[in-house]
């Protein structure tokens, strides 16, 4: 297993790679661009592909023996992928809808997965030049531009209305009944993996996701949230796990900091 020191070095290198990808994304963002539709009808732009190429090149040079799994790359058969103990999990541009809508809430996500769980993650926000990073054994951090990194931590109690962060693009019918089970709530709208980061930084209390996501949408941000003291659990209370089945779709999950609420008591059935 890689040591904590090695993970810290890899985190720094992954931050640099994510920033290089962000620069390529912004070059597209600042001009007119075409939008294609993938097979699942989700949008794809040249920025996604440019970021993918930069990240794959950078990580392959950094750790030649560690495979990469990217949203914009080929998905190996589970017979091969299931044997990976360690691999990079990448979403080159998370929040393409936000990118197309030009609201700034899109990210570059790079995670290192070991033994089915993220051990480090980098979530970089190109428009604001803010980088969230961390891992369960590394801590959680935020860096604004070239300013020094600052440690971040989840809120430990819900003080006042419960701050619920949820997607601008994907609310879903399952969310409203769950919200009604809680005391007073305040809605914090946000796109992409930034929802995890808001919880990690103590700017929101909980992020419920009762709709479809893929593993590359969550790996890096899960590492950040867990590094900051948060939990990312499926609706049976287990830690969200990766690369354990043929499909890369995640089950429903909840990200939270404060432990003073029973977040799972009114969770919907997942059919």
């Amino acid at each position: 297993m890689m040591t904590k020191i090695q993970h810290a070095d890899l985190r720094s290198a992954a931050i640099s790679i994510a920033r290089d990808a962000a620069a390529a994304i912004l070059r597209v963002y600042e001009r007119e661009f075409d939008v294609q539709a993938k097979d699942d009808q989700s949008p794809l732009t040249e920025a996604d592909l440019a970021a993918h190429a930069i990240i794959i090149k950078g990580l392959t040079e950094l750790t030649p023996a560690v495979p990469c799994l990217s949203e914009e790359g080929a998905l190996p058969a589970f017979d091969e992928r299931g044997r990976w103990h360690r691999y990079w999990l990448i979403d080159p541009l998370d929040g393409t809808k936000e990118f197309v809508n030009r609201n700034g809430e899109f990210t570059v996500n790079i995670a290192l997965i070991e033994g089915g769980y993220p051990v480090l993650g980098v979530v970089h926000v190109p428009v604001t030049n803010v980088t969230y990073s961390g891992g369960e054994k590394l801590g959680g951090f935020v860096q604004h531009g070239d300013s020094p990194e600052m440690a971040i931590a989840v809120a430990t109690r819900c003080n006042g209305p419960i701050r619920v962060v949820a997607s601008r693009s994907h609310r879903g019918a399952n969310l409203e009944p769950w919200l009604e089970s809680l005391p007073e709530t305040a809605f914090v709208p946000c796109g992409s993996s930034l929802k995890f980061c808001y919880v990690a930084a103590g700017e929101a209390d909980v992020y419920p996701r009762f709709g479809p996501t893929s593993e590359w949408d969550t790996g890096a941000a899960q590492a950040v949230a867990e590094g900051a003291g948060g939990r990312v659990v499926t609706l049976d209370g287990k830690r969200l796990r990766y690369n354990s089945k043929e499909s890369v779709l995640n089950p429903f999950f909840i990200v939270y900091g404060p432990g003073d609420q029973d977040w799972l008591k009114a969770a919907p059935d997942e059919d």
Side-chain angles (χ1 to χ4, degrees):
M1 293 290 290
M2 293 183 178
T3 66
K4 179 178 178 180
I5 294 174
Q6 288 172 313
H7 285 155
D9 290 341
L10 290 173
R11 181 179 71 91
S12 297
I15 289 172
S16 178
I17 293 168
R19 288 178 169 176
D20 288 344
I25 289 169
L26 288 176
R27 286 193 289 271
V28 178
Y29 190 66
E30 291 164 357
R31 58 172 171 78
E32 294 300 316
F33 54 84
D34 294 327
V35 181
Q36 304 172 41
K38 294 194 282 190
D39 290 343
D40 63 359
Q41 298 306 304
S42 61
L44 175 70
T45 72
E46 59 188 287
D48 298 77
L49 300 176
H52 166 81
I54 288 168
I55 294 169
I56 296 300
K57 182 176 184 294
L59 293 177
T60 300
E61 291 175 352
L62 177 67
T63 53
V66 179
C68 296
L69 179 61
S70 169
E71 178 175 13
E72 306 310 338
L75 179 64
F78 187 64
D79 285 348
E80 173 190 347
R81 179 167 49 86
R83 295 194 296 270
W84 295 352
H85 171 75
R86 179 184 300 116
Y87 68 100
W88 292 103
L89 180 62
I90 305 144
D91 191 340
L93 202 171
D94 181 40
T96 303
K97 288 183 179 178
E98 281 69 30
F99 178 85
V100 171
N101 292 333
R102 298 184 186 273
N103 70 14
E105 292 179 350
F106 53 87
T107 59
V108 177
N109 297 348
I110 301 174
L112 181 64
I113 309 295
E114 289 184 356
Y117 297 101
V119 295
L120 71 87
V122 173
V123 176
H124 180 74
V125 191
V127 168
T128 59
N129 196 21
V130 173
T131 307
Y132 297 91
S133 64
E136 187 179 31
K137 296 182 179 180
L138 296 172
F141 306 92
V142 66
Q143 185 176 18
H144 296 265
D146 294 324
S147 300
E149 280 190 334
M150 298 182 294
I152 55 175
V154 298
T156 56
R157 296 188 60 81
C158 296
N159 296 312
I162 296 172
R163 299 166 299 169
V164 181
V165 64
S167 174
R168 292 188 189 277
S169 305
H170 309 282
R171 288 289 294 271
N174 287 319
L175 182 60
E176 297 305 327
W178 183 83
L179 290 172
E180 292 171 2
S181 76
L182 299 176
E184 184 182 3
T185 59
F187 181 60
V188 183
C190 182
S192 73
S193 57
L194 280 170
K195 296 182 286 292
F196 286 78
C197 298
Y198 279 24
V199 175
E203 296 170 6
D205 298 310
V206 62
Y207 163 38
R209 184 55 187 247
F210 305 143
T213 58
S214 295
E215 294 183 1
W216 40 66
D217 296 320
T218 59
Q222 179 174 345
V224 173
E226 291 176 343
R231 294 197 65 199
V232 182
V233 299
T234 53
L235 302 191
D236 58 2
K238 295 179 180 178
R239 187 182 180 195
L240 183 61
R241 183 178 175 84
Y242 294 78
N243 202 33
S244 62
K245 59 189 187 310
E246 182 74 38
S247 172
V248 293
L249 290 177
N250 290 319
F252 293 172
F253 61 84
I254 297 177
V255 184
Y256 66 90
D260 59 352
Q261 302 290 325
D262 184 355
W263 302 114
L264 297 172
K265 67 178 180 181
D269 293 329
E270 185 171 0
D271 296 320

